[in-house]
């Protein structure tokens, strides 16, 4: 029983990794809808591995390392691969050299995860855009484009895609504080940023539905910037 208790959270983490691997394969095959499902599964498992570890008091250094390694695939490799695929599909000459610049997102995701593991200040906020949010932003834009031709201006322009790659990479390691859904206190005034984020996100999703998913991340970044001084 102790073995199960101590490793249940790790099993969820490995499930996150496994789902990310499947999602990456299907993205290459063009089955972006399957990739979307895999990302959702990885997000759910990524949330519950930490929840279970805290509930069972089974936190361990092994679990911390596994979490980052799993996130590197699901929320590091997949967004980079998404940008590679988007750039390649916008080209009529196979895989021109600039397609590989999409993997800058993967490289900076790796750097962001390493920084997070070493930074003890990020308890109640994130410094830079966290990798799951960045994945939702990049893949969410691609998904909306493939589903109903939203954001055509972006995916029909190589320069815009490369610009998004640079912005995404910078946001991952930027000094900008981002809201984390962790409550330092239950005082209303201490949680205005989180309330503003939740209310705005619900409204965006109601109005724009699936297209609103990447818009929620844009809104998240905006709200975080507005409330910079309150994030600590």
């Amino acid at each position: 029983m102790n073995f199960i208790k101590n490793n249940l959270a790790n099993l969820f983490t490995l499930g996150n990794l496994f789902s990310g691997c499947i999602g990456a394969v299907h993205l290459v095959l063009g089955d972006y809808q399957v990739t979307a499902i895999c990302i959702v599964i990885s997000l759910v498992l990524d949330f519950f591995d930490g929840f279970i570890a805290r509930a069972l008091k089974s936190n361990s250094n092994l679990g911390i390392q596994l979490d980052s390694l799993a996130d590197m695939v699901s929320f590091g490799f997949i967004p980079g691969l998404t940008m590679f695929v988007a750039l390649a599909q916008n080209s009529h000459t196979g895989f021109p050299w600039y397609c590989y610049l999409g993997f800058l997102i993967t490289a900076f995701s790796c750097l962001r995860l390493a920084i997070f593991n070493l930074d003890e200040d990020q308890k109640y906020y994130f410094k830079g855009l966290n990798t799951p949010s960045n994945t939702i932003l990049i893949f969410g834009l691609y998904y909306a484009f493939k589903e109903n031709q939203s954001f055509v201006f972006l995916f029909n322009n190589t320069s815009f895609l490369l610009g998004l790659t640079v912005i995404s990479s910078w946001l991952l390691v930027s000094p900008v504080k981002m809201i984390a859904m962790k409550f330092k206190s239950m005082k209303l005034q201490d949680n205005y940023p989180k309330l503003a984020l939740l209310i705005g996100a619900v409204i965006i999703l109601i109005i724009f539905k699936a297209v609103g998913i990447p818009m929620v991340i844009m809104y998240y970044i905006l709200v975080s910037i507005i409330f910079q001084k309150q994030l600590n």
Side-chain angles (χ1 to χ4, degrees):
M1 289 299 294
N2 283 337
F3 178 83
I4 295 175
K5 174 185 175 182
N6 293 334
N7 289 282
L8 183 60
N10 293 340
L11 183 62
F12 274 66
T13 303
L14 292 175
N16 166 16
L17 172 64
F18 188 74
S19 179
C21 291
I22 295 173
V25 170
H26 282 274
L27 182 57
V28 172
L29 295 175
D31 302 327
Y32 65 92
Q33 293 175 325
V34 175
T35 302
I37 295 171
C38 289
I39 290 174
V40 171
I41 292 172
S42 289
L43 286 167
V44 172
L45 293 174
D46 186 51
F47 171 80
F48 277 104
D49 66 359
F51 178 82
I52 290 171
R54 289 188 294 272
L56 298 179
K57 297 180 180 179
S58 59
N59 304 73
S60 66
N61 290 329
L62 174 62
I64 293 172
Q65 298 304 317
L66 284 176
D67 188 63
S68 292
L69 292 170
D71 286 355
M72 186 56 217
V73 174
S74 300
F75 311 126
F77 181 60
I78 283 183
L81 183 61
T82 300
M83 187 57 69
F84 170 84
V85 170
L87 286 164
Q89 290 177 349
N90 194 40
S91 169
H92 302 290
T93 58
F95 301 128
W97 67 269
Y98 58 77
C99 290
Y100 298 101
L101 293 177
F103 289 113
L104 285 173
I105 296 175
T106 298
F108 278 86
S109 294
C110 181
L111 181 58
R112 192 262 182 279
L113 289 166
I115 291 172
F116 179 79
N117 285 347
L118 296 173
D119 193 341
E120 297 181 357
D121 292 334
Q122 299 184 55
K123 293 181 179 179
Y124 298 104
Y125 67 88
F126 294 117
K127 191 181 295 180
L129 186 63
N130 61 77
T131 53
S133 293
N134 189 58
T135 301
I136 294 170
L137 172 63
I138 300 299
F139 184 80
L141 288 168
Y142 181 75
Y143 182 86
F145 168 68
K146 297 294 286 186
E147 280 289 287
N148 52 28
Q149 293 297 295
S150 299
F151 308 107
V152 173
F153 72 95
L154 178 62
F155 288 92
N156 284 346
N157 190 306
T158 298
S159 297
F160 285 174
L161 287 173
L162 292 174
L164 177 59
T165 298
V166 172
I167 292 170
S168 168
S169 299
W170 178 79
L171 282 171
L172 286 163
V173 296
S174 76
V176 179
K177 294 179 180 178
M178 301 285 179
I179 298 169
M181 300 307 288
K182 298 177 182 179
F183 296 90
K184 191 174 184 179
S185 79
M186 298 308 293
K187 294 180 180 179
L188 182 62
Q189 61 268 29
D190 292 335
N191 293 298
Y192 283 148
K194 298 179 181 66
L195 289 173
L197 175 60
L198 285 172
I199 294 171
V202 169
I203 293 172
I204 290 171
L205 290 174
I206 290 174
I207 296 174
F208 297 100
K209 298 181 173 58
V211 178
I213 293 174
M215 295 173 65
V216 166
I217 304 302
M218 298 176 199
Y219 176 70
Y220 166 59
I221 295 169
L222 177 62
V223 173
S224 295
I225 293 172
I226 292 173
F227 287 100
Q228 276 296 282
K229 293 183 179 179
Q230 289 184 240
L231 301 179
N232 52 56

